[in-house]
Amino acid sequence: MTDLSRRTFLGAAGTVAAGAAVGPWVRRAHAQGAPLKIGLVLPYSGVYAVLGESITQAMELVFARENWTVAGRKIELIKEDDEMQPPVGIRKTEKLIESDKVDILTGPVHSGILMGMRDKVHNSKTVLIVSNAGADAISRERCSKWIFRTSFSNWQPNQPMGAWVAKNVSKDVFIMAPNYQAGKDQLGAFKETFVPAGGKLVGEDYPKLGETDYAPYLTKVRQSGAKAVYAFFSGTDAVNFVKQYASFGLKQTIKLTGAGFLTEPDVLPAQGASALGVITGHFYTPLLDNGANHKFVKEFRDKFFGKMPDGFACQGYDTAEVIVRAVKAVNGNTQDKDKLVDAIAKVEFDSPRGRFRFDPKTHNVIQPYIYIREVREVYGGLNNVPIDKVADVRDPGTGCTLPA
Ligand code: BEZ
């Protein structure tokens, strides 16, 4: 508590003598009446800007439903653009923790930024609810009592796809992803089940994140003898890759498959007909037939001028829902971090993706399903239509044993 805010509080309390008042009772009362500060470290520029926007919009949808108040505390969002640069993301994280003194942090989108933030968050005992970045290590050797993840580990949408592609698409596959941690994690998870299912990797390539010319890579694909490609790209990378894949003439002869991010609704309108027929694995599609999703799709589209929610929006929705439920459970007292963490771990609800719950071993979300989806023209536009599914997909992390 700053001198100024202490004086303000004591002034309002009127009769309390300063020396006697500065105890736990006062600190608790102050914290509970103070705004609930939520720091967002997200990309609002660069390759993944559309992802940051979807996450933020869905969080705002949930908080607006709560009249921007939870357990008597006004919700205040402090948004920081990490510019997709790990040093920037780390600097913004420090600012949010040390200067803004946020109650809860969320973000980032980029796995490398998450890895860079991890020690800062862990050592300062700041509660971080990861709303996208899938770095597997955060559910495994770099886990932390203070870190939860509402999105996915990079392993989750990809591991079920390896065996599925080998069985249903082809055993001769070229794999490709941007050259950074998420790309390596995602293709690693695909290989884990593809090779044991009899699959043969006919090529593997890692263009730089933010590549705009895939021609040299697509030439290699054409020459490799591949019958299918499995790719992870997202944001503007996904737009460029899928469009160039089609204009290169590969679409008709070499089936394009990948992680769901490749054809999410954030990029489908820009990809247009080039995305038709692409098969991907993901935990969400706006076509899911459950009550929470019907409501979410309608409210999101009403609020954001007809925009179709994507998986990133579902992640933002779930992050905000977790925050609202946990802060209510502790009656607005976010100062007792142990109690806050216990409350977050217990949150369960019907999310647009299905029943939401954390794996107690890893603090990572358990995916009710990974859907295998195909882009088809249905309901007046391009949509990811579920054609198969794999239930109860949990990251294989075995437990966080690092000291708190
Ligand atoms: C990541 O860096 O973890 C990531 C970025 C975009 C989509 C999925 C994962």
Side-chain angles (χ1 to χ4, degrees), residues 48 51 109-111 132-134 152 154 180 182 186 232 234 261 312:
Y48 293 157
L51 286 65
V109 159
H110 182 302
S111 277
N132 187 76
F152 50 85
N154 285 324
Y180 79 111
Q186 299 212 15
F232 155 62
S234 192
F261 317 103
F312 310 109

Side-chain angles (χ1 to χ4, degrees), residues 258-303:
F261 317 103
L262 193 61
T263 57
E264 277 299 278
D266 62 326
V267 291
L268 267 180
Q271 291 167 336
S274 351
L276 271 172
V278 178
I279 293 180
T280 58
H282 209 32
F283 64 84
Y284 181 72
T285 157
L287 300 183
L288 293 186
D289 190 12
N290 68 65
N293 189 47
H294 295 160
K295 190 165 179 291
F296 172 55
V297 172
K298 182 179 181 325
E299 290 176 359
F300 191 89
R301 299 195 76 184
D302 285 351
K303 191 169 168 77

Side-chain angles (χ1 to χ4, degrees), residues 255 263 275-280 287 372-378 383-387:
K255 186 78 176 167
T263 57
L276 271 172
V278 178
I279 293 180
T280 58
L287 300 183
I372 292 94
R373 320 152 327 156
E374 184 171 32
V375 178
R376 295 185 186 159
E377 188 140 25
V378 286
N383 280 287
N384 288 292
V385 178
I387 55 173

Side-chain angles (χ1 to χ4, degrees), residues 211-230:
E211 178 58 77
T212 50
D213 179 10
Y214 291 98
Y217 304 94
L218 297 174
T219 304
K220 281 201 229 166
V221 169
R222 181 181 276 146
Q223 291 165 349
S224 69
K227 303 272 185 330
V229 163
Y230 186 85

Side-chain angles (χ1 to χ4, degrees), residues 333-378:
N333 179 8
T334 50
Q335 301 282 299
D336 188 334
K337 299 286 176 69
D338 288 302
K339 286 212 174 104
L340 181 60
V341 161
D342 287 346
I344 294 173
K346 289 197 188 103
V347 169
E348 268 200 46
F349 59 94
D350 287 326
S351 148
R353 77 177 89 184
R355 191 77 188 154
F356 183 98
R357 63 206 163 104
F358 289 111
D359 185 338
K361 289 211 251 15
T362 57
H363 283 181
N364 190 60
V365 57
I366 298 171
Q367 307 296 352
Y369 290 100
I370 292 297
Y371 297 93
I372 292 94
R373 320 152 327 156
E374 184 171 32
V375 178
R376 295 185 186 159
E377 188 140 25
V378 286

